[in-house]
Amino acid sequence: MSSQEWGAIADVLRRMNNDGWMSRFGASHDRLFSRVHGNTCFFPFHRRYVLEFENIARGYDPSFVVPYWDATESFRNPAGDPLLSAGALGTNGQGSDRCLVNGIQGNTQMTYPNGHCLRRNYNNGNSINAWYAPEIISSYIQSDTSLAAFRENIEYSIHGAVHLGLGGEMNTGYAAQDFSFMVHHANLDRLWWDWQNTHNAYLMYDGTGSNGAASLSDTIPEDAAVPFGGSSVSSVMVLGYGNVCYTYDSSPNPPQAYPGAGGSSQGRGSVNSASPNASDRNRESSGIQSALNSDDIGRFFPGLGGGSPSRRRRGNESDAARCSSGRGGPIPYPAQLTPMWIEMHGYDPERVRAAHTNACDLVTILNNSTYVSPY
């Protein structure tokens, strides 16, 4: 994005904040927090939430669009991501109050839950702990056959990693006051859309919703500060239809006809990678096919097929030691969610631990093979 485009976004955010909208979004997310995390409503709520933000922003600038931020591609050195710069989302916070002094929201004063400067506080000094590599997210897209499973893996991985990595406002229930929240969740929405296309599962909504068993007829939770008008889960399931008339530049176009309950649209199921870059997608897929054996591909990348007869290994450090040490050769092991974050969301610590171990298993397999990540 150009400096002019970021400047236009900054102007809209400034005017929205002056009119109280940024604090309204922060407060509404805070009050709805327990209902829209830790269950399958996570995806439809945030799709509707970011869309509402965009709709309101277009009242200030009709051309306003929330861009997506694929944070996974800076997984090795998150603090060095071009978007975490003074000309975009801003860098680390400064001073004892960790005030964000630069970027499109530099020195913005918030009113919720009290008066303060918008905060940013990286989780490793002026650095950020390693995030989840694109290959891990690609594995979730391919191997998770239910939305409940995919939601859990995304929440426990890149969703939490980015929130914790940026810290400050993003490490609170009112994280939506930081525009990083919007571009981050736009990317999670993109990943959900890729998963929907991969499995031809546009209308799959299983597991537990915000009020018991998940149902497409459920009303998406809303707060009086940012009302949705009683939107149903079913109304946001398929991009390109109804009020969700948008798509992503790196993803398949919407189906030509609205899918039925069983899901049937020819030509679907081709998304194999989380990366928005077509060249990197191809290099990732071909590299994994040639480097991993068929059992590992079947476990982590079933959409690819193929695989070598036996794993090509390198290195000799034990899997457990490598995972706990945070050293992962070409691909670093992702940091674990903090106990505070797990408790804040009401997650089952054992399920979080199991998901992290599974991700570490994949990193170990990739690093012990001839695979070379294109990222």
Side-chain angles (χ1 to χ4, degrees), residues 266-299:
Q266 294 183 349
R268 299 289 144 175
S270 60
V271 179
N272 288 322
S273 168
S275 172
N277 184 293
S279 175
D280 287 345
R281 281 188 191 220
N282 292 334
R283 291 169 62 198
E284 175 191 323
S285 297
S286 61
I288 287 171
Q289 283 180 305
S290 64
L292 270 58
N293 67 41
S294 56
D295 288 341
D296 291 333
I297 287 180
R299 175 185 173 187

PDB file of all heavy atoms in Angstrom, residues 266-299:
ATOM      1  N   GLN A 266     -18.799 -26.583  -8.463  1.00  0.00           N
ATOM      2  CA  GLN A 266     -17.715 -27.167  -9.228  1.00  0.00           C
ATOM      3  C   GLN A 266     -16.488 -26.267  -9.222  1.00  0.00           C
ATOM      4  O   GLN A 266     -16.582 -25.050  -9.186  1.00  0.00           O
ATOM      5  CB  GLN A 266     -18.177 -27.414 -10.663  1.00  0.00           C
ATOM      6  CG  GLN A 266     -19.271 -28.464 -10.779  1.00  0.00           C
ATOM      7  CD  GLN A 266     -19.641 -28.725 -12.215  1.00  0.00           C
ATOM      8  OE1 GLN A 266     -19.226 -27.992 -13.108  1.00  0.00           O
ATOM      9  NE2 GLN A 266     -20.413 -29.776 -12.438  1.00  0.00           N
ATOM     10  N   GLY A 267     -15.352 -26.904  -9.269  1.00  0.00           N
ATOM     11  CA  GLY A 267     -14.101 -26.156  -9.353  1.00  0.00           C
ATOM     12  C   GLY A 267     -13.564 -25.706  -8.018  1.00  0.00           C
ATOM     13  O   GLY A 267     -12.580 -25.013  -7.962  1.00  0.00           O
ATOM     14  N   ARG A 268     -14.184 -26.117  -6.930  1.00  0.00           N
ATOM     15  CA  ARG A 268     -13.700 -25.726  -5.610  1.00  0.00           C
ATOM     16  C   ARG A 268     -12.709 -26.760  -5.083  1.00  0.00           C
ATOM     17  O   ARG A 268     -12.543 -27.837  -5.622  1.00  0.00           O
ATOM     18  CB  ARG A 268     -14.879 -25.595  -4.653  1.00  0.00           C
ATOM     19  CG  ARG A 268     -15.883 -24.532  -5.093  1.00  0.00           C
ATOM     20  CD  ARG A 268     -15.344 -23.110  -4.926  1.00  0.00           C
ATOM     21  NE  ARG A 268     -15.801 -22.252  -6.008  1.00  0.00           N
ATOM     22  CZ  ARG A 268     -15.567 -20.965  -6.071  1.00  0.00           C
ATOM     23  NH1 ARG A 268     -14.874 -20.371  -5.139  1.00  0.00           N
ATOM     24  NH2 ARG A 268     -15.989 -20.254  -7.086  1.00  0.00           N
ATOM     25  N   GLY A 269     -12.094 -26.426  -3.959  1.00  0.00           N
ATOM     26  CA  GLY A 269     -11.168 -27.350  -3.337  1.00  0.00           C
ATOM     27  C   GLY A 269      -9.737 -27.196  -3.811  1.00  0.00           C
ATOM     28  O   GLY A 269      -8.934 -28.099  -3.662  1.00  0.00           O
ATOM     29  N   SER A 270      -9.390 -26.048  -4.375  1.00  0.00           N
ATOM     30  CA  SER A 270      -8.053 -25.870  -4.939  1.00  0.00           C
ATOM     31  C   SER A 270      -7.112 -25.082  -4.040  1.00  0.00           C
ATOM     32  O   SER A 270      -5.943 -24.915  -4.377  1.00  0.00           O
ATOM     33  CB  SER A 270      -8.156 -25.155  -6.290  1.00  0.00           C
ATOM     34  OG  SER A 270      -8.763 -23.887  -6.131  1.00  0.00           O
ATOM     35  N   VAL A 271      -7.576 -24.563  -2.920  1.00  0.00           N
ATOM     36  CA  VAL A 271      -6.724 -23.753  -2.044  1.00  0.00           C
ATOM     37  C   VAL A 271      -5.883 -24.679  -1.174  1.00  0.00           C
ATOM     38  O   VAL A 271      -6.406 -25.419  -0.357  1.00  0.00           O
ATOM     39  CB  VAL A 271      -7.565 -22.817  -1.153  1.00  0.00           C
ATOM     40  CG1 VAL A 271      -6.657 -22.011  -0.238  1.00  0.00           C
ATOM     41  CG2 VAL A 271      -8.396 -21.886  -2.013  1.00  0.00           C
ATOM     42  N   ASN A 272      -4.565 -24.650  -1.333  1.00  0.00           N
ATOM     43  CA  ASN A 272      -3.692 -25.532  -0.567  1.00  0.00           C
ATOM     44  C   ASN A 272      -2.754 -24.791   0.367  1.00  0.00           C
ATOM     45  O   ASN A 272      -2.051 -25.410   1.143  1.00  0.00           O
ATOM     46  CB  ASN A 272      -2.856 -26.399  -1.517  1.00  0.00           C
ATOM     47  CG  ASN A 272      -3.693 -27.452  -2.202  1.00  0.00           C
ATOM     48  OD1 ASN A 272      -4.581 -28.025  -1.584  1.00  0.00           O
ATOM     49  ND2 ASN A 272      -3.436 -27.700  -3.472  1.00  0.00           N
ATOM     50  N   SER A 273      -2.707 -23.478   0.289  1.00  0.00           N
ATOM     51  CA  SER A 273      -1.736 -22.713   1.061  1.00  0.00           C
ATOM     52  C   SER A 273      -2.379 -21.478   1.657  1.00  0.00           C
ATOM     53  O   SER A 273      -3.329 -20.924   1.107  1.00  0.00           O
ATOM     54  CB  SER A 273      -0.560 -22.300   0.169  1.00  0.00           C
ATOM     55  OG  SER A 273       0.258 -21.346   0.799  1.00  0.00           O
ATOM     56  N   ALA A 274      -1.851 -21.046   2.806  1.00  0.00           N
ATOM     57  CA  ALA A 274      -2.363 -19.843   3.456  1.00  0.00           C
ATOM     58  C   ALA A 274      -1.810 -18.566   2.839  1.00  0.00           C
ATOM     59  O   ALA A 274      -2.355 -17.487   3.045  1.00  0.00           O
ATOM     60  CB  ALA A 274      -2.004 -19.867   4.938  1.00  0.00           C
ATOM     61  N   SER A 275      -0.728 -18.667   2.074  1.00  0.00           N
ATOM     62  CA  SER A 275      -0.059 -17.477   1.547  1.00  0.00           C
ATOM     63  C   SER A 275      -0.897 -16.798   0.473  1.00  0.00           C
ATOM     64  O   SER A 275      -1.487 -17.461  -0.380  1.00  0.00           O
ATOM     65  CB  SER A 275       1.292 -17.858   0.955  1.00  0.00           C
ATOM     66  OG  SER A 275       1.868 -16.767   0.279  1.00  0.00           O
ATOM     67  N   PRO A 276      -0.942 -15.459   0.473  1.00  0.00           N
ATOM     68  CA  PRO A 276      -1.634 -14.735  -0.596  1.00  0.00           C
ATOM     69  C   PRO A 276      -0.790 -14.606  -1.858  1.00  0.00           C
ATOM     70  O   PRO A 276      -1.283 -14.161  -2.892  1.00  0.00           O
ATOM     71  CB  PRO A 276      -1.890 -13.361   0.028  1.00  0.00           C
ATOM     72  CG  PRO A 276      -0.767 -13.175   0.985  1.00  0.00           C
ATOM     73  CD  PRO A 276      -0.471 -14.551   1.531  1.00  0.00           C
ATOM     74  N   ASN A 277       0.488 -14.995  -1.783  1.00  0.00           N
ATOM     75  CA  ASN A 277       1.395 -14.862  -2.917  1.00  0.00           C
ATOM     76  C   ASN A 277       1.387 -16.156  -3.726  1.00  0.00           C
ATOM     77  O   ASN A 277       1.784 -17.216  -3.232  1.00  0.00           O
ATOM     78  CB  ASN A 277       2.809 -14.552  -2.410  1.00  0.00           C
ATOM     79  CG  ASN A 277       3.789 -14.301  -3.535  1.00  0.00           C
ATOM     80  OD1 ASN A 277       4.108 -15.203  -4.295  1.00  0.00           O
ATOM     81  ND2 ASN A 277       4.263 -13.068  -3.635  1.00  0.00           N
ATOM     82  N   ALA A 278       0.946 -16.091  -4.981  1.00  0.00           N
ATOM     83  CA  ALA A 278       0.785 -17.289  -5.802  1.00  0.00           C
ATOM     84  C   ALA A 278       2.102 -18.026  -6.002  1.00  0.00           C
ATOM     85  O   ALA A 278       2.151 -19.263  -5.958  1.00  0.00           O
ATOM     86  CB  ALA A 278       0.174 -16.912  -7.149  1.00  0.00           C
ATOM     87  N   SER A 279       3.179 -17.290  -6.221  1.00  0.00           N
ATOM     88  CA  SER A 279       4.479 -17.925  -6.427  1.00  0.00           C
ATOM     89  C   SER A 279       4.921 -18.679  -5.180  1.00  0.00           C
ATOM     90  O   SER A 279       5.401 -19.821  -5.260  1.00  0.00           O
ATOM     91  CB  SER A 279       5.517 -16.873  -6.807  1.00  0.00           C
ATOM     92  OG  SER A 279       6.805 -17.441  -6.907  1.00  0.00           O
ATOM     93  N   ASP A 280       4.763 -18.035  -4.012  1.00  0.00           N
ATOM     94  CA  ASP A 280       5.134 -18.702  -2.761  1.00  0.00           C
ATOM     95  C   ASP A 280       4.254 -19.912  -2.500  1.00  0.00           C
ATOM     96  O   ASP A 280       4.714 -20.938  -1.984  1.00  0.00           O
ATOM     97  CB  ASP A 280       5.032 -17.719  -1.590  1.00  0.00           C
ATOM     98  CG  ASP A 280       6.159 -16.696  -1.603  1.00  0.00           C
ATOM     99  OD1 ASP A 280       7.151 -16.913  -2.321  1.00  0.00           O
ATOM    100  OD2 ASP A 280       6.029 -15.672  -0.907  1.00  0.00           O
ATOM    101  N   ARG A 281       2.972 -19.809  -2.836  1.00  0.00           N
ATOM    102  CA  ARG A 281       2.066 -20.952  -2.675  1.00  0.00           C
ATOM    103  C   ARG A 281       2.598 -22.152  -3.445  1.00  0.00           C
ATOM    104  O   ARG A 281       2.647 -23.275  -2.930  1.00  0.00           O
ATOM    105  CB  ARG A 281       0.674 -20.611  -3.222  1.00  0.00           C
ATOM    106  CG  ARG A 281      -0.221 -19.773  -2.347  1.00  0.00           C
ATOM    107  CD  ARG A 281      -1.596 -19.714  -2.975  1.00  0.00           C
ATOM    108  NE  ARG A 281      -2.449 -18.722  -2.338  1.00  0.00           N
ATOM    109  CZ  ARG A 281      -3.738 -18.909  -2.089  1.00  0.00           C
ATOM    110  NH1 ARG A 281      -4.299 -20.044  -2.406  1.00  0.00           N
ATOM    111  NH2 ARG A 281      -4.453 -17.974  -1.524  1.00  0.00           N
ATOM    112  N   ASN A 282       2.959 -21.912  -4.704  1.00  0.00           N
ATOM    113  CA  ASN A 282       3.424 -23.010  -5.550  1.00  0.00           C
ATOM    114  C   ASN A 282       4.733 -23.604  -5.029  1.00  0.00           C
ATOM    115  O   ASN A 282       4.910 -24.826  -5.020  1.00  0.00           O
ATOM    116  CB  ASN A 282       3.605 -22.522  -6.988  1.00  0.00           C
ATOM    117  CG  ASN A 282       2.288 -22.165  -7.648  1.00  0.00           C
ATOM    118  OD1 ASN A 282       1.240 -22.692  -7.286  1.00  0.00           O
ATOM    119  ND2 ASN A 282       2.334 -21.266  -8.623  1.00  0.00           N
ATOM    120  N   ARG A 283       5.639 -22.742  -4.588  1.00  0.00           N
ATOM    121  CA  ARG A 283       6.921 -23.229  -4.065  1.00  0.00           C
ATOM    122  C   ARG A 283       6.717 -24.004  -2.766  1.00  0.00           C
ATOM    123  O   ARG A 283       7.368 -25.023  -2.537  1.00  0.00           O
ATOM    124  CB  ARG A 283       7.871 -22.049  -3.834  1.00  0.00           C
ATOM    125  CG  ARG A 283       8.346 -21.386  -5.135  1.00  0.00           C
ATOM    126  CD  ARG A 283       9.049 -20.074  -4.847  1.00  0.00           C
ATOM    127  NE  ARG A 283      10.241 -20.262  -4.028  1.00  0.00           N
ATOM    128  CZ  ARG A 283      10.825 -19.275  -3.358  1.00  0.00           C
ATOM    129  NH1 ARG A 283      10.327 -18.050  -3.398  1.00  0.00           N
ATOM    130  NH2 ARG A 283      11.907 -19.510  -2.655  1.00  0.00           N
ATOM    131  N   GLU A 284       5.803 -23.528  -1.922  1.00  0.00           N
ATOM    132  CA  GLU A 284       5.503 -24.242  -0.688  1.00  0.00           C
ATOM    133  C   GLU A 284       4.949 -25.638  -0.996  1.00  0.00           C
ATOM    134  O   GLU A 284       5.418 -26.644  -0.464  1.00  0.00           O
ATOM    135  CB  GLU A 284       4.488 -23.454   0.145  1.00  0.00           C
ATOM    136  CG  GLU A 284       4.023 -24.179   1.404  1.00  0.00           C
ATOM    137  CD  GLU A 284       2.836 -23.499   2.071  1.00  0.00           C
ATOM    138  OE1 GLU A 284       2.781 -22.253   2.074  1.00  0.00           O
ATOM    139  OE2 GLU A 284       1.958 -24.221   2.571  1.00  0.00           O
ATOM    140  N   SER A 285       3.945 -25.703  -1.866  1.00  0.00           N
ATOM    141  CA  SER A 285       3.285 -26.972  -2.165  1.00  0.00           C
ATOM    142  C   SER A 285       4.248 -27.970  -2.811  1.00  0.00           C
ATOM    143  O   SER A 285       4.324 -29.134  -2.400  1.00  0.00           O
ATOM    144  CB  SER A 285       2.080 -26.744  -3.084  1.00  0.00           C
ATOM    145  OG  SER A 285       1.101 -25.947  -2.445  1.00  0.00           O
ATOM    146  N   SER A 286       4.986 -27.516  -3.826  1.00  0.00           N
ATOM    147  CA  SER A 286       5.897 -28.427  -4.514  1.00  0.00           C
ATOM    148  C   SER A 286       7.042 -28.860  -3.599  1.00  0.00           C
ATOM    149  O   SER A 286       7.478 -30.015  -3.642  1.00  0.00           O
ATOM    150  CB  SER A 286       6.447 -27.774  -5.786  1.00  0.00           C
ATOM    151  OG  SER A 286       7.187 -26.600  -5.480  1.00  0.00           O
ATOM    152  N   GLY A 287       7.506 -27.943  -2.753  1.00  0.00           N
ATOM    153  CA  GLY A 287       8.589 -28.283  -1.830  1.00  0.00           C
ATOM    154  C   GLY A 287       8.167 -29.323  -0.815  1.00  0.00           C
ATOM    155  O   GLY A 287       8.927 -30.255  -0.503  1.00  0.00           O
ATOM    156  N   ILE A 288       6.955 -29.190  -0.285  1.00  0.00           N
ATOM    157  CA  ILE A 288       6.449 -30.155   0.696  1.00  0.00           C
ATOM    158  C   ILE A 288       6.242 -31.516   0.041  1.00  0.00           C
ATOM    159  O   ILE A 288       6.586 -32.557   0.613  1.00  0.00           O
ATOM    160  CB  ILE A 288       5.145 -29.627   1.316  1.00  0.00           C
ATOM    161  CG1 ILE A 288       5.454 -28.469   2.274  1.00  0.00           C
ATOM    162  CG2 ILE A 288       4.394 -30.744   2.056  1.00  0.00           C
ATOM    163  CD1 ILE A 288       4.233 -27.733   2.768  1.00  0.00           C
ATOM    164  N   GLN A 289       5.697 -31.518  -1.170  1.00  0.00           N
ATOM    165  CA  GLN A 289       5.455 -32.785  -1.863  1.00  0.00           C
ATOM    166  C   GLN A 289       6.742 -33.559  -2.103  1.00  0.00           C
ATOM    167  O   GLN A 289       6.763 -34.789  -2.019  1.00  0.00           O
ATOM    168  CB  GLN A 289       4.754 -32.525  -3.191  1.00  0.00           C
ATOM    169  CG  GLN A 289       3.273 -32.218  -3.053  1.00  0.00           C
ATOM    170  CD  GLN A 289       2.616 -31.967  -4.393  1.00  0.00           C
ATOM    171  OE1 GLN A 289       3.063 -31.111  -5.159  1.00  0.00           O
ATOM    172  NE2 GLN A 289       1.568 -32.708  -4.688  1.00  0.00           N
ATOM    173  N   SER A 290       7.827 -32.860  -2.391  1.00  0.00           N
ATOM    174  CA  SER A 290       9.084 -33.537  -2.698  1.00  0.00           C
ATOM    175  C   SER A 290       9.891 -33.881  -1.448  1.00  0.00           C
ATOM    176  O   SER A 290      10.732 -34.786  -1.488  1.00  0.00           O
ATOM    177  CB  SER A 290       9.935 -32.681  -3.637  1.00  0.00           C
ATOM    178  OG  SER A 290      10.312 -31.467  -3.008  1.00  0.00           O
ATOM    179  N   ALA A 291       9.645 -33.188  -0.338  1.00  0.00           N
ATOM    180  CA  ALA A 291      10.495 -33.356   0.848  1.00  0.00           C
ATOM    181  C   ALA A 291       9.903 -34.274   1.909  1.00  0.00           C
ATOM    182  O   ALA A 291      10.652 -34.886   2.679  1.00  0.00           O
ATOM    183  CB  ALA A 291      10.784 -31.993   1.469  1.00  0.00           C
ATOM    184  N   LEU A 292       8.581 -34.385   1.984  1.00  0.00           N
ATOM    185  CA  LEU A 292       7.948 -35.162   3.046  1.00  0.00           C
ATOM    186  C   LEU A 292       7.480 -36.518   2.532  1.00  0.00           C
ATOM    187  O   LEU A 292       7.201 -36.691   1.347  1.00  0.00           O
ATOM    188  CB  LEU A 292       6.756 -34.405   3.632  1.00  0.00           C
ATOM    189  CG  LEU A 292       7.043 -33.484   4.822  1.00  0.00           C
ATOM    190  CD1 LEU A 292       8.079 -32.426   4.464  1.00  0.00           C
ATOM    191  CD2 LEU A 292       5.763 -32.839   5.319  1.00  0.00           C
ATOM    192  N   ASN A 293       7.384 -37.476   3.443  1.00  0.00           N
ATOM    193  CA  ASN A 293       6.869 -38.774   3.037  1.00  0.00           C
ATOM    194  C   ASN A 293       5.347 -38.752   3.006  1.00  0.00           C
ATOM    195  O   ASN A 293       4.700 -37.812   3.485  1.00  0.00           O
ATOM    196  CB  ASN A 293       7.408 -39.895   3.938  1.00  0.00           C
ATOM    197  CG  ASN A 293       6.903 -39.803   5.372  1.00  0.00           C
ATOM    198  OD1 ASN A 293       5.741 -39.516   5.628  1.00  0.00           O
ATOM    199  ND2 ASN A 293       7.794 -40.074   6.321  1.00  0.00           N
ATOM    200  N   SER A 294       4.772 -39.789   2.437  1.00  0.00           N
ATOM    201  CA  SER A 294       3.323 -39.811   2.222  1.00  0.00           C
ATOM    202  C   SER A 294       2.541 -39.816   3.527  1.00  0.00           C
ATOM    203  O   SER A 294       1.443 -39.254   3.591  1.00  0.00           O
ATOM    204  CB  SER A 294       2.938 -41.025   1.368  1.00  0.00           C
ATOM    205  OG  SER A 294       3.407 -42.226   1.965  1.00  0.00           O
ATOM    206  N   ASP A 295       3.083 -40.427   4.581  1.00  0.00           N
ATOM    207  CA  ASP A 295       2.382 -40.429   5.866  1.00  0.00           C
ATOM    208  C   ASP A 295       2.285 -39.021   6.441  1.00  0.00           C
ATOM    209  O   ASP A 295       1.238 -38.607   6.949  1.00  0.00           O
ATOM    210  CB  ASP A 295       3.106 -41.339   6.860  1.00  0.00           C
ATOM    211  CG  ASP A 295       2.950 -42.821   6.532  1.00  0.00           C
ATOM    212  OD1 ASP A 295       2.010 -43.151   5.775  1.00  0.00           O
ATOM    213  OD2 ASP A 295       3.759 -43.628   7.024  1.00  0.00           O
ATOM    214  N   ASP A 296       3.396 -38.271   6.385  1.00  0.00           N
ATOM    215  CA  ASP A 296       3.393 -36.906   6.915  1.00  0.00           C
ATOM    216  C   ASP A 296       2.504 -35.991   6.080  1.00  0.00           C
ATOM    217  O   ASP A 296       1.802 -35.129   6.621  1.00  0.00           O
ATOM    218  CB  ASP A 296       4.816 -36.354   6.964  1.00  0.00           C
ATOM    219  CG  ASP A 296       5.676 -37.050   8.016  1.00  0.00           C
ATOM    220  OD1 ASP A 296       5.104 -37.554   8.997  1.00  0.00           O
ATOM    221  OD2 ASP A 296       6.904 -37.092   7.842  1.00  0.00           O
ATOM    222  N   ILE A 297       2.523 -36.187   4.774  1.00  0.00           N
ATOM    223  CA  ILE A 297       1.648 -35.392   3.926  1.00  0.00           C
ATOM    224  C   ILE A 297       0.194 -35.727   4.219  1.00  0.00           C
ATOM    225  O   ILE A 297      -0.661 -34.833   4.304  1.00  0.00           O
ATOM    226  CB  ILE A 297       1.977 -35.621   2.436  1.00  0.00           C
ATOM    227  CG1 ILE A 297       3.296 -34.915   2.090  1.00  0.00           C
ATOM    228  CG2 ILE A 297       0.847 -35.092   1.537  1.00  0.00           C
ATOM    229  CD1 ILE A 297       3.728 -35.070   0.653  1.00  0.00           C
ATOM    230  N   GLY A 298      -0.106 -36.996   4.407  1.00  0.00           N
ATOM    231  CA  GLY A 298      -1.471 -37.385   4.734  1.00  0.00           C
ATOM    232  C   GLY A 298      -1.944 -36.813   6.050  1.00  0.00           C
ATOM    233  O   GLY A 298      -3.117 -36.472   6.210  1.00  0.00           O
ATOM    234  N   ARG A 299      -1.033 -36.665   7.001  1.00  0.00           N
ATOM    235  CA  ARG A 299      -1.396 -36.117   8.313  1.00  0.00           C
ATOM    236  C   ARG A 299      -1.561 -34.606   8.277  1.00  0.00           C
ATOM    237  O   ARG A 299      -2.536 -34.077   8.824  1.00  0.00           O
ATOM    238  CB  ARG A 299      -0.322 -36.494   9.337  1.00  0.00           C
ATOM    239  CG  ARG A 299      -0.540 -35.872  10.715  1.00  0.00           C
ATOM    240  CD  ARG A 299       0.618 -36.191  11.649  1.00  0.00           C
ATOM    241  NE  ARG A 299       0.497 -35.470  12.915  1.00  0.00           N
ATOM    242  CZ  ARG A 299       1.438 -35.448  13.868  1.00  0.00           C
ATOM    243  NH1 ARG A 299       2.574 -36.128  13.687  1.00  0.00           N
ATOM    244  NH2 ARG A 299       1.256 -34.744  14.975  1.00  0.00           N
TER     245      ARG A 299
END
